[in-house]
Short mmCIF file of all heavy atoms in Angstrom, two decimals:
data_model
loop_
_atom_site.label_atom_id
_atom_site.label_comp_id
_atom_site.label_asym_id
_atom_site.label_seq_id
_atom_site.Cartn_x
_atom_site.Cartn_y
_atom_site.Cartn_z
N ILE A 1 0.99 -9.34 22.86
CA ILE A 1 2.32 -8.77 23.03
C ILE A 1 3.39 -9.81 22.71
O ILE A 1 4.37 -9.53 22.01
CB ILE A 1 2.49 -8.23 24.45
CG1 ILE A 1 1.56 -7.05 24.69
CG2 ILE A 1 3.94 -7.84 24.72
CD1 ILE A 1 1.47 -6.59 26.12
N VAL A 2 3.21 -11.02 23.22
CA VAL A 2 4.16 -12.10 22.96
C VAL A 2 4.25 -12.38 21.46
O VAL A 2 5.34 -12.52 20.89
CB VAL A 2 3.76 -13.38 23.72
CG1 VAL A 2 4.63 -14.56 23.29
CG2 VAL A 2 3.88 -13.17 25.23
N ARG A 3 3.10 -12.47 20.80
CA ARG A 3 3.08 -12.74 19.36
C ARG A 3 3.75 -11.63 18.56
O ARG A 3 4.49 -11.88 17.62
CB ARG A 3 1.64 -12.92 18.89
CG ARG A 3 1.01 -14.24 19.32
CD ARG A 3 -0.43 -14.31 18.87
NE ARG A 3 -1.03 -15.61 19.19
CZ ARG A 3 -2.33 -15.88 19.06
NH1 ARG A 3 -3.15 -14.95 18.60
NH2 ARG A 3 -2.79 -17.08 19.36
N ARG A 4 3.47 -10.37 18.92
CA ARG A 4 4.03 -9.25 18.18
C ARG A 4 5.54 -9.19 18.35
O ARG A 4 6.28 -8.93 17.39
CB ARG A 4 3.38 -7.95 18.63
CG ARG A 4 3.73 -6.77 17.74
CD ARG A 4 2.77 -5.63 17.89
NE ARG A 4 2.79 -5.04 19.21
CZ ARG A 4 1.82 -5.16 20.10
NH1 ARG A 4 0.73 -5.86 19.82
NH2 ARG A 4 1.91 -4.60 21.30
N CYS A 5 6.03 -9.46 19.54
CA CYS A 5 7.47 -9.46 19.78
C CYS A 5 8.14 -10.59 19.01
O CYS A 5 9.23 -10.43 18.46
CB CYS A 5 7.76 -9.60 21.27
SG CYS A 5 7.39 -8.11 22.24
N ALA A 6 7.49 -11.75 18.96
CA ALA A 6 8.03 -12.87 18.21
C ALA A 6 8.07 -12.56 16.72
O ALA A 6 9.02 -12.92 16.01
CB ALA A 6 7.19 -14.12 18.46
N GLU A 7 7.05 -11.88 16.23
CA GLU A 7 6.98 -11.50 14.83
C GLU A 7 8.11 -10.54 14.49
O GLU A 7 8.78 -10.67 13.45
CB GLU A 7 5.63 -10.86 14.53
CG GLU A 7 5.41 -10.54 13.06
CD GLU A 7 4.01 -9.99 12.83
OE1 GLU A 7 3.55 -9.17 13.64
OE2 GLU A 7 3.39 -10.38 11.83
N GLU A 8 8.35 -9.56 15.34
CA GLU A 8 9.43 -8.60 15.10
C GLU A 8 10.79 -9.29 15.12
O GLU A 8 11.67 -8.96 14.31
CB GLU A 8 9.37 -7.50 16.17
CG GLU A 8 8.16 -6.58 16.02
CD GLU A 8 8.06 -5.58 17.16
OE1 GLU A 8 9.00 -5.53 17.99
OE2 GLU A 8 7.04 -4.86 17.22
N GLU A 9 10.94 -10.24 16.00
CA GLU A 9 12.21 -10.97 16.07
C GLU A 9 12.44 -11.79 14.81
O GLU A 9 13.56 -11.86 14.29
CB GLU A 9 12.20 -11.90 17.29
CG GLU A 9 13.50 -12.64 17.52
CD GLU A 9 14.68 -11.73 17.81
OE1 GLU A 9 14.46 -10.60 18.28
OE2 GLU A 9 15.83 -12.16 17.56
N ALA A 10 11.36 -12.37 14.28
CA ALA A 10 11.46 -13.19 13.07
C ALA A 10 11.87 -12.35 11.87
O ALA A 10 12.49 -12.85 10.93
CB ALA A 10 10.14 -13.89 12.80
N HIS A 11 11.50 -11.07 11.88
CA HIS A 11 11.80 -10.18 10.76
C HIS A 11 13.02 -9.29 11.04
O HIS A 11 13.27 -8.34 10.30
CB HIS A 11 10.58 -9.28 10.46
CG HIS A 11 9.41 -10.00 9.91
ND1 HIS A 11 8.46 -10.57 10.71
CD2 HIS A 11 9.03 -10.27 8.63
CE1 HIS A 11 7.53 -11.15 9.96
NE2 HIS A 11 7.86 -10.99 8.70
N ARG A 12 13.77 -9.64 12.05
CA ARG A 12 14.86 -8.77 12.50
C ARG A 12 15.89 -8.46 11.41
O ARG A 12 16.44 -7.38 11.34
CB ARG A 12 15.56 -9.40 13.71
CG ARG A 12 16.54 -8.49 14.42
CD ARG A 12 16.79 -9.00 15.83
NE ARG A 12 17.15 -10.40 15.83
CZ ARG A 12 18.40 -10.86 15.80
NH1 ARG A 12 19.40 -10.01 15.76
NH2 ARG A 12 18.66 -12.15 15.84
N GLU A 13 16.14 -9.42 10.53
CA GLU A 13 17.15 -9.23 9.49
C GLU A 13 16.58 -8.64 8.20
O GLU A 13 17.30 -8.47 7.23
CB GLU A 13 17.82 -10.58 9.18
CG GLU A 13 18.48 -11.24 10.38
CD GLU A 13 19.56 -10.35 11.01
OE1 GLU A 13 20.27 -9.67 10.23
OE2 GLU A 13 19.67 -10.33 12.23
N MET A 14 15.27 -8.37 8.17
CA MET A 14 14.65 -7.87 6.96
C MET A 14 14.64 -6.35 6.93
O MET A 14 14.70 -5.68 7.96
CB MET A 14 13.20 -8.38 6.85
CG MET A 14 13.09 -9.87 6.64
SD MET A 14 11.37 -10.38 6.36
CE MET A 14 11.62 -12.17 6.19
N THR A 15 14.56 -5.82 5.74
CA THR A 15 14.50 -4.37 5.55
C THR A 15 13.12 -3.85 5.94
O THR A 15 12.12 -4.42 5.55
CB THR A 15 14.77 -4.01 4.08
OG1 THR A 15 16.06 -4.51 3.73
CG2 THR A 15 14.75 -2.50 3.89
N GLU A 16 13.09 -2.78 6.70
CA GLU A 16 11.80 -2.20 7.08
C GLU A 16 11.45 -1.07 6.11
O GLU A 16 12.29 -0.26 5.74
CB GLU A 16 11.87 -1.66 8.51
CG GLU A 16 10.53 -1.14 9.02
CD GLU A 16 10.60 -0.74 10.48
OE1 GLU A 16 11.46 -1.25 11.20
OE2 GLU A 16 9.78 0.10 10.88
N ILE A 17 10.21 -1.04 5.68
CA ILE A 17 9.73 -0.04 4.73
C ILE A 17 8.73 0.87 5.44
O ILE A 17 8.00 0.45 6.32
CB ILE A 17 9.06 -0.73 3.52
CG1 ILE A 17 10.09 -1.62 2.80
CG2 ILE A 17 8.50 0.29 2.54
CD1 ILE A 17 9.49 -2.45 1.71
N ASP A 18 8.70 2.11 5.04
CA ASP A 18 7.77 3.08 5.62
C ASP A 18 6.34 2.73 5.22
O ASP A 18 5.95 2.92 4.06
CB ASP A 18 8.15 4.47 5.12
CG ASP A 18 7.36 5.57 5.83
OD1 ASP A 18 6.20 5.32 6.22
OD2 ASP A 18 7.89 6.68 5.98
N LEU A 19 5.57 2.20 6.14
CA LEU A 19 4.22 1.73 5.83
C LEU A 19 3.30 2.88 5.46
O LEU A 19 2.50 2.77 4.52
CB LEU A 19 3.66 0.96 7.03
CG LEU A 19 2.27 0.35 6.86
CD1 LEU A 19 2.22 -0.55 5.64
CD2 LEU A 19 1.87 -0.42 8.11
N LEU A 20 3.38 3.99 6.17
CA LEU A 20 2.51 5.12 5.87
C LEU A 20 2.75 5.64 4.45
O LEU A 20 1.81 5.95 3.72
CB LEU A 20 2.73 6.24 6.89
CG LEU A 20 2.23 5.98 8.30
CD1 LEU A 20 2.61 7.15 9.22
CD2 LEU A 20 0.73 5.78 8.32
N ARG A 21 4.01 5.73 4.08
CA ARG A 21 4.33 6.20 2.74
C ARG A 21 3.84 5.21 1.67
O ARG A 21 3.37 5.62 0.61
CB ARG A 21 5.84 6.40 2.62
CG ARG A 21 6.28 7.01 1.29
CD ARG A 21 7.76 7.28 1.29
NE ARG A 21 8.12 8.23 2.34
CZ ARG A 21 9.38 8.54 2.66
NH1 ARG A 21 10.38 7.98 2.01
NH2 ARG A 21 9.63 9.41 3.62
N THR A 22 3.96 3.93 1.96
CA THR A 22 3.52 2.91 1.02
C THR A 22 2.01 2.99 0.80
O THR A 22 1.53 2.93 -0.33
CB THR A 22 3.89 1.51 1.53
OG1 THR A 22 5.31 1.42 1.71
CG2 THR A 22 3.45 0.43 0.54
N VAL A 23 1.26 3.13 1.88
CA VAL A 23 -0.19 3.23 1.77
C VAL A 23 -0.59 4.49 1.01
O VAL A 23 -1.50 4.47 0.18
CB VAL A 23 -0.85 3.21 3.17
CG1 VAL A 23 -2.35 3.46 3.06
CG2 VAL A 23 -0.61 1.86 3.84
N LYS A 24 0.10 5.58 1.26
CA LYS A 24 -0.18 6.83 0.55
C LYS A 24 0.02 6.64 -0.95
O LYS A 24 -0.76 7.15 -1.77
CB LYS A 24 0.73 7.95 1.06
CG LYS A 24 0.49 9.29 0.38
CD LYS A 24 1.41 10.36 0.94
CE LYS A 24 1.17 11.70 0.26
NZ LYS A 24 2.07 12.76 0.79
N CYS A 25 1.04 5.88 -1.33
CA CYS A 25 1.31 5.61 -2.74
C CYS A 25 0.14 4.84 -3.35
O CYS A 25 -0.31 5.14 -4.46
CB CYS A 25 2.60 4.81 -2.86
SG CYS A 25 3.07 4.40 -4.55
N PHE A 26 -0.39 3.85 -2.64
CA PHE A 26 -1.50 3.06 -3.13
C PHE A 26 -2.78 3.90 -3.24
O PHE A 26 -3.59 3.67 -4.14
CB PHE A 26 -1.75 1.86 -2.23
CG PHE A 26 -0.85 0.71 -2.53
CD1 PHE A 26 0.21 0.40 -1.69
CD2 PHE A 26 -1.03 -0.08 -3.66
CE1 PHE A 26 1.05 -0.65 -1.97
CE2 PHE A 26 -0.20 -1.14 -3.94
CZ PHE A 26 0.86 -1.44 -3.10
N ILE A 27 -2.97 4.83 -2.35
CA ILE A 27 -4.13 5.71 -2.43
C ILE A 27 -4.10 6.49 -3.75
O ILE A 27 -5.11 6.62 -4.45
CB ILE A 27 -4.17 6.69 -1.24
CG1 ILE A 27 -4.44 5.93 0.06
CG2 ILE A 27 -5.24 7.77 -1.45
CD1 ILE A 27 -4.28 6.78 1.31
N GLY A 28 -2.92 6.96 -4.12
CA GLY A 28 -2.77 7.67 -5.38
C GLY A 28 -3.06 6.78 -6.57
O GLY A 28 -3.74 7.19 -7.53
N PHE A 29 -2.59 5.53 -6.53
CA PHE A 29 -2.86 4.59 -7.61
C PHE A 29 -4.35 4.32 -7.77
O PHE A 29 -4.88 4.29 -8.88
CB PHE A 29 -2.12 3.27 -7.36
CG PHE A 29 -0.65 3.32 -7.62
CD1 PHE A 29 0.21 2.48 -6.94
CD2 PHE A 29 -0.12 4.20 -8.55
CE1 PHE A 29 1.57 2.50 -7.19
CE2 PHE A 29 1.25 4.24 -8.80
CZ PHE A 29 2.10 3.38 -8.12
N GLU A 30 -5.02 4.09 -6.65
CA GLU A 30 -6.46 3.81 -6.69
C GLU A 30 -7.22 4.97 -7.32
O GLU A 30 -8.15 4.77 -8.12
CB GLU A 30 -7.00 3.53 -5.29
CG GLU A 30 -6.43 2.30 -4.60
CD GLU A 30 -6.96 1.00 -5.16
OE1 GLU A 30 -7.84 1.03 -6.05
OE2 GLU A 30 -6.49 -0.06 -4.70
N SER A 31 -6.84 6.18 -6.99
CA SER A 31 -7.51 7.37 -7.54
C SER A 31 -7.28 7.47 -9.04
O SER A 31 -8.20 7.79 -9.80
CB SER A 31 -6.99 8.63 -6.84
OG SER A 31 -7.31 8.60 -5.45
N ARG A 32 -6.07 7.19 -9.49
CA ARG A 32 -5.76 7.27 -10.92
C ARG A 32 -6.48 6.18 -11.70
O ARG A 32 -6.98 6.42 -12.81
CB ARG A 32 -4.25 7.17 -11.12
CG ARG A 32 -3.51 8.41 -10.67
CD ARG A 32 -2.02 8.20 -10.70
NE ARG A 32 -1.51 8.01 -12.06
CZ ARG A 32 -0.24 7.72 -12.33
NH1 ARG A 32 0.64 7.59 -11.33
NH2 ARG A 32 0.16 7.58 -13.58
N VAL A 33 -6.55 4.99 -11.13
CA VAL A 33 -7.28 3.89 -11.79
C VAL A 33 -8.75 4.25 -11.90
O VAL A 33 -9.39 4.02 -12.93
CB VAL A 33 -7.09 2.57 -11.02
CG1 VAL A 33 -8.04 1.49 -11.55
CG2 VAL A 33 -5.65 2.08 -11.14
N GLY A 34 -9.32 4.81 -10.83
CA GLY A 34 -10.72 5.22 -10.86
C GLY A 34 -10.99 6.23 -11.96
O GLY A 34 -12.03 6.18 -12.63
N GLU A 35 -10.06 7.15 -12.18
CA GLU A 35 -10.21 8.16 -13.23
C GLU A 35 -10.15 7.50 -14.61
O GLU A 35 -10.90 7.89 -15.52
CB GLU A 35 -9.12 9.22 -13.09
CG GLU A 35 -9.16 10.30 -14.15
CD GLU A 35 -10.43 11.13 -14.15
OE1 GLU A 35 -11.18 11.09 -13.15
OE2 GLU A 35 -10.69 11.84 -15.16
N ILE A 36 -9.31 6.51 -14.80
CA ILE A 36 -9.25 5.78 -16.07
C ILE A 36 -10.60 5.13 -16.35
O ILE A 36 -11.15 5.23 -17.46
CB ILE A 36 -8.14 4.72 -16.05
CG1 ILE A 36 -6.77 5.38 -16.14
CG2 ILE A 36 -8.32 3.71 -17.20
CD1 ILE A 36 -5.61 4.41 -16.02
N TYR A 37 -11.16 4.47 -15.35
CA TYR A 37 -12.45 3.80 -15.53
C TYR A 37 -13.57 4.80 -15.80
O TYR A 37 -14.48 4.55 -16.60
CB TYR A 37 -12.77 2.95 -14.30
CG TYR A 37 -11.85 1.78 -14.09
CD1 TYR A 37 -11.77 1.16 -12.84
CD2 TYR A 37 -11.06 1.28 -15.12
CE1 TYR A 37 -10.93 0.07 -12.64
CE2 TYR A 37 -10.21 0.20 -14.92
CZ TYR A 37 -10.15 -0.39 -13.67
OH TYR A 37 -9.31 -1.47 -13.48
N ARG A 38 -13.51 5.94 -15.14
CA ARG A 38 -14.54 6.97 -15.35
C ARG A 38 -14.50 7.47 -16.79
O ARG A 38 -15.54 7.63 -17.44
CB ARG A 38 -14.33 8.13 -14.37
CG ARG A 38 -15.43 9.18 -14.41
CD ARG A 38 -15.07 10.40 -13.60
NE ARG A 38 -13.94 11.11 -14.17
CZ ARG A 38 -14.01 11.91 -15.24
NH1 ARG A 38 -15.18 12.09 -15.84
NH2 ARG A 38 -12.93 12.52 -15.69
N ARG A 39 -13.31 7.74 -17.30
CA ARG A 39 -13.16 8.21 -18.68
C ARG A 39 -13.65 7.17 -19.68
O ARG A 39 -14.34 7.49 -20.65
CB ARG A 39 -11.69 8.53 -18.97
CG ARG A 39 -11.20 9.84 -18.37
CD ARG A 39 -9.70 9.99 -18.60
NE ARG A 39 -9.24 11.29 -18.14
CZ ARG A 39 -8.97 12.32 -18.92
NH1 ARG A 39 -9.15 12.20 -20.22
NH2 ARG A 39 -8.53 13.45 -18.43
N LEU A 40 -13.32 5.90 -19.44
CA LEU A 40 -13.76 4.83 -20.33
C LEU A 40 -15.28 4.71 -20.32
O LEU A 40 -15.91 4.49 -21.36
CB LEU A 40 -13.12 3.50 -19.92
CG LEU A 40 -11.63 3.34 -20.23
CD1 LEU A 40 -11.11 2.04 -19.63
CD2 LEU A 40 -11.39 3.37 -21.73
N SER A 41 -15.88 4.87 -19.15
CA SER A 41 -17.34 4.79 -19.05
C SER A 41 -17.99 5.88 -19.88
O SER A 41 -18.98 5.63 -20.59
CB SER A 41 -17.76 4.94 -17.58
OG SER A 41 -19.17 4.98 -17.47
N GLU A 42 -17.45 7.09 -19.83
CA GLU A 42 -18.01 8.20 -20.61
C GLU A 42 -17.81 7.97 -22.11
O GLU A 42 -18.70 8.24 -22.92
CB GLU A 42 -17.35 9.50 -20.18
CG GLU A 42 -17.70 9.93 -18.74
CD GLU A 42 -16.94 11.16 -18.32
OE1 GLU A 42 -16.02 11.59 -19.07
OE2 GLU A 42 -17.24 11.71 -17.24
N GLN A 43 -16.66 7.47 -22.48
CA GLN A 43 -16.34 7.29 -23.88
C GLN A 43 -17.13 6.15 -24.53
O GLN A 43 -17.43 6.19 -25.72
CB GLN A 43 -14.84 7.01 -24.05
CG GLN A 43 -13.96 8.20 -23.68
CD GLN A 43 -12.48 7.84 -23.67
OE1 GLN A 43 -12.11 6.71 -23.99
NE2 GLN A 43 -11.64 8.79 -23.29
N LEU A 44 -17.47 5.14 -23.74
CA LEU A 44 -18.15 3.96 -24.27
C LEU A 44 -19.66 3.99 -23.99
O LEU A 44 -20.28 2.95 -23.75
CB LEU A 44 -17.53 2.69 -23.68
CG LEU A 44 -16.09 2.42 -24.16
CD1 LEU A 44 -15.41 1.39 -23.27
CD2 LEU A 44 -16.08 1.98 -25.61
#
């Protein structure tokens, strides 16, 4: 608890980003990259 509060205080002046939305974006990227690799595997 002490460490987490100190961490939040250290970042007090920084912009907060929606973590759930960010992770969702990366999930989409990973799926699209996987599809690129799958197509290349079939073609080659």
Side-chain angles (χ1 to χ4, degrees):
I1 294 170
V2 171
R3 286 178 176 171
R4 191 161 64 251
C5 288
E7 185 176 42
E8 291 175 6
E9 183 63 24
H11 291 88
R12 190 160 52 94
E13 302 302 322
M14 293 185 181
T15 302
E16 185 174 335
I17 299 173
D18 188 329
L19 182 55
L20 289 176
R21 185 176 299 173
T22 301
V23 174
K24 181 179 180 180
C25 180
F26 278 105
I27 292 171
F29 285 152
E30 296 286 356
S31 298
R32 289 172 66 185
V33 170
E35 179 62 16
I36 287 176
Y37 293 161
R38 186 189 66 77
R39 284 174 175 258
L40 287 174
S41 175
E42 293 176 351
Q43 294 172 3
L44 292 165

